[in-house]
Amino acid sequence: MDTPRASWRNTTHDWASTVDLDHLEHIRQNPAVFAPGGLRHLVLEVIAYAADEAEYSNSGHCRITLHSDGSVTIADDGRGTDTRLDEHGQAVKKPVMATKDLRFFDHPDTLPLPDTHPRRGMSVVAALSTWLVHTNRRRNGSWTQRYEHGIPTTDLEPITDDGTTGTAVHFLPDEPLRTAHDLTADDLARLTAAWPQLSSKIDDRRTA
């Protein structure tokens, strides 16, 4: 049965708010703090969620695509982002893109990502990306949604189920972060090896 959103228990994020504008602006004003190393760190922030799913099920896979336009897609085969129906029958996705990850953001002593910098959460990636498209496939439905600097520019748009579950995050980091540091396929292979339960395939489509 659909239940009031106010009664949903918070786990990794606060279900009460879809967007935290102050939080997103704080990230945008401090890119060196929240994305040290530029693109490398943003990619690892996304892969960390795929690794969470792999740990939950004891194994998992993600595909990392480095596109020629500077964007990146990370697709995994996990359960998909939690999406529920509220008391009005509307689909509500856990606000992972536009609000704090309660486990990490305000805890600077959290375990670091493989680049040795603290994990802060997916909202860092969304806030520091010109655009981001999140495609989410779950047993109870599939949806896609677009963001610009962390702010949703579309509603959850239903898409046809294909019999799979998982998420795909396709994002274009802001230009200074794309050019701040080089990121190679070899770098990614070395860094993702820190998550032994997650197997990764890297598809580098950038021109030499």
Side-chain angles (χ1 to χ4, degrees):
M1 179 181 295
D2 303 340
T3 57
R5 187 169 172 178
S7 70
W8 296 351
R9 183 173 66 88
N10 294 335
T11 51
T12 64
H13 294 76
D14 186 345
W15 286 93
S17 177
T18 302
V19 181
D20 185 339
L21 294 176
D22 290 341
H23 170 66
L24 296 172
E25 181 63 20
H26 178 54
I27 295 169
R28 287 198 295 270
Q29 293 298 320
N30 298 279
V33 172
F34 296 111
L39 177 61
R40 176 183 292 105
H41 188 77
L42 296 182
V43 169
L44 292 175
E45 287 278 15
V46 181
I47 297 174
Y49 286 87
D52 288 344
E53 287 295 294
E55 183 176 2
Y56 174 84
S57 59
N58 296 315
S59 68
H61 178 77
C62 76
R63 182 184 181 93
I64 306 160
T65 305
L66 305 172
H67 299 280
S68 61
D69 65 354
S71 67
V72 180
T73 301
I74 297 163
D76 67 50
D77 59 356
R79 295 165 293 172
T81 304
D82 192 358
T83 305
R84 307 174 184 181
L85 296 181
D86 66 14
E87 65 270 34
H88 307 293
Q90 297 295 313
V92 180
K93 182 180 66 182
K94 183 189 291 185
V96 297
M97 297 295 170
T99 68
K100 293 179 182 179
D101 191 315
L102 302 174
R103 299 169 296 174
F104 308 122
F105 195 84
D106 291 324
H107 300 281
D109 57 347
T110 187
L111 290 175
L113 291 169
D115 62 356
T116 75
H117 298 296
R119 181 179 180 182
R120 302 298 191 198
M122 193 78 80
S123 60
V124 167
V125 182
L128 295 176
S129 292
T130 304
W131 54 259
L132 181 152
V133 177
H134 181 199
T135 301
N136 185 36
R137 297 185 180 277
R138 287 178 60 82
R139 298 295 184 195
N140 62 337
S142 299
W143 302 267
T144 189
Q145 189 169 27
R146 180 184 172 96
Y147 300 78
E148 294 179 6
H149 289 125
I151 300 172
T153 58
T154 68
D155 293 328
L156 282 182
E157 298 179 345
I159 57 176
T160 303
D161 288 330
D162 64 2
T164 67
T165 62
T167 64
V169 178
H170 185 190
F171 65 99
L172 180 68
D174 289 340
E175 195 276 338
L177 295 173
R178 299 200 302 270
T179 58
H181 297 272
D182 291 334
L183 177 65
T184 68
D186 287 344
D187 287 337
L188 278 176
R190 174 179 55 82
L191 291 165
T192 57
W195 291 300
Q197 292 171 309
L198 180 70
S199 65
S200 302
K201 182 175 182 180
I202 302 165
D203 181 6
D204 191 348
R205 301 179 182 179
R206 300 171 298 181
T207 56

